[in-house]
Amino acid sequence: MIFNFLATNAQLNQEPKKITNKFFSELNNLENITPALKKKKGFTNYEELIDFIDEKVKKYPESVSSSFIGESQKGKKIPLIYIKKKNHNDEKKLKVWMQGGLHGNEPASTESLLYLIHLILEDSDYNYLLNKIELAILPMANIDGFLKNDRYAANGLDLNRDHTKMMAPETKASKVAFADFDPHVALDFHEYRPFRKDFAQLSSFGIANPYDVMFLHTGNLNVPENIRTIIDTLFVKNAKKSLDKLNLRHRHYIKSEKYKGEIHFSTGSNTARSSSNFYALNNGIATLFEIRGVGIGKTSFKRRINSGLSVGFSFLKTAYENSIFIFDEIAKANTYSNDIVLEHQRSVYSDVIKAIDIGSNEMIDFETTMHSSKDSYAISKRDRPLAYIVKQNNFGFIEKLKDVGVDYVELQKDTVIYSGSYRVIEFYDNFKVYEKMRMQKVVTSIEYNNNGFSKGDILISMNQKRSNLIVELLEPEAPNSYVSFGIINTSLNSQLPIYRIKNLNN
Ligand SMILES: [Zn+2]
C-alpha cells in the first residue's frame, strides 16, 4: 500500500506517458491563437488576458465590449466580456453566461473560453449563433489563484463553495454582474484531477480517471423539475453527442469519497453553495463541467481545449435551436409553487465505472458504491410562504440578498403583520470550521402571531424568479443558508430576524 501511494503520488503532477499515448492522444486541429497556446511553457497570464480582450474589443467595437466588475484580493481588476451582435430584427436574445478559472489550477477552462471568443467572432461556422444569443464571459474568475496555478483565492477560500455565503470579493463581483446580466443559460468551465490520492488504493497499483469530460449538473430539488429535465435530457445530452463525435469520453461527474472507512464514489451535486446549483436556483439552464486536466501540466492541452469548445458550442447551439422553448420553460419555472425542500438525501446504489488500471494500463470496469446527489430525494419539507420579512440587523446578509438580485421593498412605516417567527429549538455548532465559517445546524419551530415591524425592515415577495434561491438562503435549516453558515449568529431558544407570511392557498 505504501508503495502504491508513492507510485501514484509521483504521478500527481505528471501523467505517465504510456497512459497519455494510449488514451489521450493529442487533437492537433487548433491554431495557436490564444496566449497559452502561443507559448511552450506556462499558461495565460494577466497581461496576456487583458491584451487578448482589448484586441477583440478593438477589432469588433460593434459587438464586443468589456468591463471590470471588481477587483481580486490582490488588486487585479476582473474583466467580463460581453458579446452581442446588433439585431437586424427585434428578436429577443437568449442570454448565456460562461465562466472559467474559478479554481486557479484549471487552465484549460480559461483557455477554452478565450478560444471560444475567437471562434464565435472570426469563424462563420459559429458566428451565426450571435443572431439569437448574447454572451457574458468571465474567463478568469479567480485571478489571484490562476496566476499561481492554485485552486484557491488569495485568502484560501474555495470560490466554488462561496456562492451563498459570499465571503470573497471575487464572489460578490461576479454575483452582482450575474444578477445584472440575468442569463437564461449558464455554463461553468472546470478541470478535474484524474489521479486522486485515494485512487492509489484501488485496484492493484491504483487507477486513473479516464473521462475527458464529466458533467456536474444540479440535483437540487428546489430547482423546478422542468429546468432540471431540460439541463439533463436536452443540453447535457446534446453536449455528450458532440463529444462522441470527437471520440472524447464523458459521463456524469463522479468523485471518490471515504465512507465509513471504505472508498465509495459520489455523483452529482445538490448544494446551493456551488455554481451549477446556485445558477439553476436562479431558474437558469446551468451546468458545471469538468475537463480532465488538474495536475498534469500542459499534457493533452489541445485535447482539453477541444473538450471545452465542444461542450461550450454544443450549449450555444442547443440554446440557439431551442430559444423559444427555453423562454417559455423559464417563464413557467418562474411561477414555481412546490413545497420547499429543506434537506436532501442522496440515493445509494451499486454501480460500475470505467477506470484506467495503472498496473496493466488497460481500461477496466470498476465496481463501486455510488452516492447520487443527482438522484436526491427530500427528507424534510416546509410550505412555501407568500413572502418573507427580514428585520433590520447587523449580520450583513441583506446586502448579500441585494447582490444576488433578490427583489425586496422596504417597509415605509411601522406596522403589524400576521406572520410566522422562527425560534431555534435545537442548536449545534460543535463541528469543524468549514471554509473559515463557524457552521451552525438548527431546527426551528414557527409560530404565527401579529408581529410588529419597523420602517426599513424588508419585505421579500416570493412572486419573483429567484424564489427558489431565496428559500436556500433564508430557511434556517437549509444546509447553505445564512444561519447554517453562521452569518446569522444564533443560539438555542433565540428568535431569528427572519419571518414568513403564510400562503393561504397552501
Ligand atoms: Zn474546479
Side-chain angles (χ1 to χ4, degrees):
M1 201 61 86
I2 287 170
F3 171 76
N4 290 351
F5 180 78
L6 291 175
T8 306
N9 242 16
Q11 290 151 7
L12 283 176
N13 286 309
Q14 208 188 345
E15 178 167 271
K17 280 227 161 60
K18 60 172 188 174
I19 292 182
T20 313
N21 292 343
K22 182 161 181 184
F23 298 102
F24 303 100
S25 54
E26 189 58 304
L27 299 174
N28 283 315
N29 56 330
L30 302 181
E31 292 173 72
N32 293 331
I33 49 90
T34 61
L37 286 172
K38 280 181 187 163
K39 53 189 179 185
K40 211 169 172 102
K41 277 190 178 164
F43 301 107
T44 297
N45 66 34
Y46 186 69
E47 292 70 30
E48 290 165 340
L49 173 72
I50 299 299
D51 286 350
F52 182 90
I53 296 166
D54 286 350
E55 192 195 300
K56 298 299 179 202
V57 173
K58 217 170 164 184
K59 191 166 174 190
Y60 300 96
E62 292 279 294
S63 46
V64 184
S65 62
S66 73
S67 70
F68 292 112
I69 58 172
E71 283 188 7
S72 75
Q73 291 161 42
K74 292 194 164 172
K76 293 268 192 304
K77 290 180 183 166
I78 307 166
L80 183 68
I81 302 134
Y82 299 96
I83 305 180
K84 184 181 186 181
K85 218 156 93 172
K86 285 236 159 52
N87 264 347
H88 22 85
N89 52 19
D90 259 353
E91 203 175 2
K92 194 178 154 199
K93 286 187 169 152
L94 262 183
K95 291 190 261 186
V96 180
W97 172 279
M98 291 183 172
Q99 67 177 36
L102 191 63
H103 291 141
N105 59 342
E106 303 174 4
S109 65
T110 294
E111 217 62 20
S112 299
L113 283 168
L114 299 184
Y115 211 105
L116 183 143
I117 291 169
H118 171 81
L119 283 179
I120 206 164
L121 292 171
E122 312 262 342
D123 190 329
S124 57
D125 286 352
Y126 302 102
N127 190 260
Y128 75 95
L129 293 163
L130 296 173
N131 293 336
K132 289 190 185 178
I133 287 169
E134 61 173 288
L135 282 161
I137 296 179
L138 179 62
M140 201 183 276
N142 172 13
I143 294 171
D144 299 340
F146 199 95
L147 298 178
K148 285 169 52 191
N149 197 29
D150 182 352
R151 176 181 175 94
Y152 302 100
N155 62 355
L157 290 184
D158 185 330
L159 297 186
N160 202 26
R161 307 290 179 267
D162 199 37
H163 291 269
T164 61
K165 61 187 171 62
M166 294 170 64
M167 301 307 283
E170 291 89 347
T171 310
K172 179 185 161 99
S174 81
K175 289 292 159 245
V176 171
F178 183 90
D180 187 45
F181 184 65
D182 201 13
H184 305 96
V185 177
L187 190 57
D188 190 9
F189 291 54
H190 284 252
E191 291 198 281
Y192 77 91
R193 186 180 287 282
F195 299 93
R196 292 170 73 93
K197 269 186 189 160
D198 49 11
F199 281 11
Q201 299 168 38
L202 300 174
S203 196
S204 48
F205 289 94
I207 62 165
N209 192 324
Y211 297 101
D212 288 283
V213 172
M214 300 196 290
F215 293 92
L216 181 50
H217 49 282
T218 185
N220 186 298
L221 299 170
N222 290 315
V223 173
E225 199 175 355
N226 68 329
I227 298 282
R228 280 184 274 137
T229 305
I230 290 166
I231 293 168
D232 195 10
T233 63
L234 180 62
F235 278 81
V236 170
K237 196 174 170 193
N238 283 349
K240 288 178 171 178
K241 282 187 210 158
S242 81
L243 291 166
D244 284 337
K245 283 185 195 152
L246 295 173
N247 287 318
L248 296 168
R249 289 180 290 272
H250 54 77
R251 61 155 293 139
H252 292 300
Y253 176 76
I254 42 170
K255 72 171 169 44
S256 52
E257 60 179 45
K258 279 263 160 57
Y259 191 86
K260 293 179 182 165
E262 278 184 47
I263 298 171
H264 289 187
F265 279 78
S266 63
T267 183
S269 164
N270 57 32
T271 62
R273 63 176 173 262
S274 67
S275 72
S276 59
N277 296 304
F278 181 92
Y279 295 150
L281 287 162
N282 283 266
N283 293 346
I285 311 290
T287 305
L288 181 159
F289 72 102
E290 305 261 8
I291 302 165
R292 184 183 190 277
V294 173
I296 61 171
K298 255 181 150 171
T299 305
S300 331
F301 199 48
K302 288 188 173 176
R303 183 181 175 106
R304 286 149 63 188
I305 296 169
N306 267 288
S307 299
L309 288 173
S310 178
V311 175
F313 277 120
S314 172
F315 262 64
L316 293 177
K317 279 180 194 161
T318 303
Y320 179 92
E321 285 159 11
N322 298 279
S323 61
I324 305 288
F325 172 71
I326 293 164
F327 284 127
D328 288 350
E329 291 296 318
I330 289 177
K332 267 185 225 165
N334 289 349
T335 62
Y336 193 60
S337 61
N338 282 23
D339 280 350
I340 295 163
V341 173
L342 294 178
E343 259 187 288
H344 289 76
Q345 182 74 48
R346 304 183 297 181
S347 57
V348 184
Y349 47 88
S350 46
D351 203 356
V352 177
I353 60 170
K354 293 276 179 212
I356 296 167
D357 183 277
I358 290 176
S360 64
N361 204 30
E362 295 290 341
M363 191 77 81
I364 57 168
D365 287 331
F366 188 80
E367 284 175 36
T368 186
T369 304
M370 191 66 76
H371 299 253
S372 176
S373 299
K374 187 173 172 283
D375 304 304
S376 295
Y377 54 93
I379 49 172
S380 74
K381 289 186 179 186
R382 180 170 284 159
D383 66 289
R384 176 176 290 251
L386 200 60
Y388 290 95
I389 311 174
V390 173
K391 285 198 170 178
Q392 296 161 80
N393 61 71
N394 295 320
F395 295 123
F397 69 93
I398 294 176
E399 190 190 335
K400 291 179 195 287
L401 287 167
K402 190 177 174 202
D403 287 343
V404 296
V406 168
D407 289 329
Y408 57 77
V409 292
E410 285 185 12
L411 298 181
Q412 293 303 306
K413 55 177 196 222
D414 295 359
T415 182
V416 171
I417 300 173
Y418 184 75
S419 54
S421 64
Y422 294 84
R423 195 167 61 83
V424 177
I425 55 168
E426 286 180 39
F427 179 79
Y428 312 90
D429 69 347
N430 54 342
F431 36 89
K432 68 177 184 191
V433 168
Y434 174 78
E435 288 286 312
K436 305 196 177 179
M437 303 303 278
R438 193 169 149 218
M439 305 298 287
Q440 306 174 126
K441 188 170 165 55
V442 300
V443 177
T444 60
S445 69
I446 299 174
E447 258 178 60
Y448 283 87
N449 277 307
N450 285 315
N451 291 302
F453 296 94
S454 309
K455 180 174 188 259
D457 293 344
I458 68 167
L459 178 72
I460 306 168
S461 167
M462 285 289 277
N463 182 21
Q464 61 174 296
K465 72 168 289 186
R466 295 192 172 85
S467 64
N468 306 312
L469 177 63
I470 292 167
V471 306
E472 291 278 355
L473 299 173
L474 292 185
E475 285 295 337
E477 288 87 348
N480 298 278
S481 70
Y482 297 134
V483 169
S484 293
F485 268 119
I487 290 167
I488 299 173
N489 214 327
T490 189
S491 56
L492 191 63
N493 292 321
S494 292
Q495 275 210 341
L496 297 172
I498 301 169
Y499 295 74
R500 51 168 32 227
I501 301 177
K502 220 178 182 45
N503 188 340
L504 297 175
N505 296 327
N506 281 343

